[in-house]
Amino acid sequence: MRPLSILVKPASGLCNMNCQYCFYTDEIQHREVALHGVMSEETLELLVRRAVEYEPTECNFTFQGGEPTLAGLDFYRRLLELETAYGGTITFTHTLQTNGILLDDEWASFLKEHHFLVGLSLDGPRDQHDWNRPDAEGKGTFARVLRAAELLDHYGVEFNTLTVVTRQTARHIRRTYEFFRKNGLLYQQYIPCLDPLGEDRGGHPWSLTPQDYTNFLITLFDLWHRDRAAGKFIYIRDFENLAGMLTGHPPEKCGLLGHCTNQCVVEANGDVYPCDFYMLDDYLLGNLATQSIQDLSATFRASQFLQESLRQPPECRACRWAKLCRGGCRRDRQLLALH
């Protein structure tokens, strides 16, 4: 049995920040029920049981939000207890994607002890980060997030920075890249921001246009290649994936696969969706209370959602880079099809 990967929203869309570009805040406003609160212990136990029933050799839980630390540290302690009780010979691994605001010594010690891989959201230098990512009261969060990075480093927690690429980030990527290098933040992931559902790109101050993103990728690649050629280690997920593909390895990033896969995204109430970008009522696969992972996977394989992802616009099929790009993320491809 292949490893099982499940993305979990333990605090639904609840968050202690108010990021300008938050796609999930926009997404949940298009659902009949926007928020589901914090996942109950009963649903957490059901999640673990359903994962074990799938009989994988390895299971990875990725916790995301909203802000997953709002579920509380005891939630994750209970998770580990349930894995021990139900898991048998299954190897469990864990990833936590966080804004870092609530991280303290107790959190950092726990994450290190239990080998959590952490994705820490940091959008670059202070002015850029604070403009994009204020807290719920409108105050800047840069100092607190940088402190979280220092804390994780002090405890030896393995972590990457997660940087959302806005128009400002794209146009100042050289400065951002040098900021990360200066602060020893060498494991980097860049995530292009999304405009609200149904809107054309470019309508907001933070919006990322195709040309901005093109220039961003070219400049960032040149910086990364310069350092790698000089023997300086920098990990950038996109480029590592592309380099691997050029040498015959499959990509691990879903946007480079050429079609959608079932990410098995679990909301706090046990509802399951195929993708973090499509947690809408029309794409609901089912609920863990009534369906197994096997049943949910079968529903996905028969879904129109999957079939639609296999169709690419003519512009993509005719492109010289089609075998490498493979059409990119479905959210981008749909906009191309509309035009």
Side-chain angles (χ1 to χ4, degrees):
M1 178 68 70
R2 296 177 59 186
L4 175 64
S5 181
I6 299 177
L7 196 158
V8 187
K9 303 265 187 183
S12 190
L14 298 171
C15 194
N16 49 4
M17 289 178 60
N18 187 26
C19 302
Q20 294 201 58
Y21 47 61
C22 181
F23 81 88
Y24 201 55
T25 297
D26 168 62
E27 202 166 63
I28 62 179
Q29 300 309 315
H30 290 79
R31 297 196 312 222
E32 185 175 342
V33 178
L35 292 170
H36 294 286
V38 174
M39 182 177 285
S40 68
E41 184 173 327
E42 291 75 18
T43 302
L44 178 62
E45 183 172 1
L46 181 60
L47 170 68
V48 174
R49 284 202 293 108
R50 290 298 194 198
V52 171
E53 289 168 2
Y54 190 71
E55 298 183 345
T57 56
E58 179 181 333
C59 176
N60 175 261
F61 289 123
T62 293
F63 296 95
Q64 196 184 76
E67 173 49 40
T69 59
L70 289 173
L73 192 48
D74 285 343
F75 174 91
Y76 297 94
R77 292 189 175 113
R78 181 57 179 156
L79 167 74
L80 297 177
E81 292 173 353
L82 291 167
E83 290 174 352
T84 299
Y86 287 107
T89 60
I90 297 172
T91 299
F92 289 95
T93 58
H94 308 94
T95 305
L96 179 75
Q97 298 182 9
T98 176
N99 60 35
I101 298 300
L102 295 181
L103 297 186
D104 56 16
D105 289 279
E106 188 177 15
W107 269 102
S109 177
F110 173 86
L111 295 170
K112 172 60 177 177
E113 180 183 357
H114 298 289
H115 311 290
F116 276 64
L117 172 64
V118 174
L120 180 66
S121 293
L122 178 60
D123 274 7
R126 181 187 295 270
D127 57 342
Q128 188 168 286
H129 177 93
D130 282 349
W131 189 82
N132 285 327
R133 302 181 62 83
D135 64 17
E137 298 178 349
K139 298 177 181 178
T141 59
F142 173 83
R144 284 172 279 177
V145 178
L146 195 61
R147 168 59 182 154
E150 293 168 351
L151 191 66
L152 293 172
D153 184 61
H154 174 74
Y155 276 87
V157 178
E158 188 177 352
F159 74 100
N160 304 317
T161 55
L162 306 177
T163 301
V164 176
V165 184
T166 62
R167 181 181 304 169
Q168 291 73 25
T169 312
R171 295 178 180 180
H172 301 284
I173 185 53
R174 186 179 300 273
R175 177 169 172 253
T176 300
Y177 181 83
E178 295 301 335
F179 164 80
F180 285 136
R181 276 192 53 191
K182 178 182 177 182
N183 286 276
L185 301 168
L186 306 182
Y187 289 85
Q188 303 166 16
Q189 294 187 40
Y190 293 89
I191 307 157
C193 70
L194 294 169
D195 282 73
L197 287 161
E199 292 188 13
D200 286 334
R201 295 291 168 92
H204 299 270
W206 42 263
S207 294
L208 183 66
T209 66
Q211 189 58 55
D212 282 328
Y213 192 52
T214 298
N215 295 336
F216 158 82
L217 287 173
I218 291 171
T219 303
L220 181 61
F221 178 84
D222 288 343
L223 293 167
W224 172 78
H225 184 265
R226 175 202 67 188
D227 282 342
R228 292 300 292 259
K232 299 176 182 177
F233 177 80
I234 303 283
Y235 175 92
I236 296 178
R237 185 188 185 193
D238 290 285
F239 301 149
E240 299 290 344
N241 268 258
L242 292 171
M245 292 168 70
L246 288 169
T247 56
H249 298 281
E252 54 81 22
K253 184 178 178 182
C254 67
L256 293 172
L257 290 171
H259 59 83
C260 292
T261 59
N262 184 11
Q263 295 181 20
C264 197
V265 190
V266 181
E267 249 287 3
N269 69 333
D271 282 347
V272 180
Y273 299 84
C275 175
D276 193 27
F277 292 159
Y278 290 89
M279 297 186 70
L280 303 166
D281 295 337
D282 287 346
Y283 300 109
L284 179 66
L285 296 176
N287 189 284
L288 293 176
T290 56
Q291 290 157 290
S292 67
I293 300 294
Q294 290 91 334
D295 292 337
L296 293 162
S297 297
T299 300
F300 170 78
R301 289 193 297 271
S303 69
Q304 187 68 19
F305 180 84
L306 173 59
Q307 296 306 312
E308 289 173 354
S309 79
L310 298 173
R311 296 194 288 268
Q312 295 188 0
E315 296 93 328
C316 288
R317 294 196 298 270
C319 178
R320 63 183 293 201
W321 303 113
K323 290 184 178 180
L324 194 60
C325 169
R326 303 181 184 180
C329 176
R330 174 196 182 103
R331 280 284 292 257
D332 296 323
R333 201 187 303 166
Q334 284 185 316
L335 285 173
L336 183 59
L338 290 173
H339 295 82

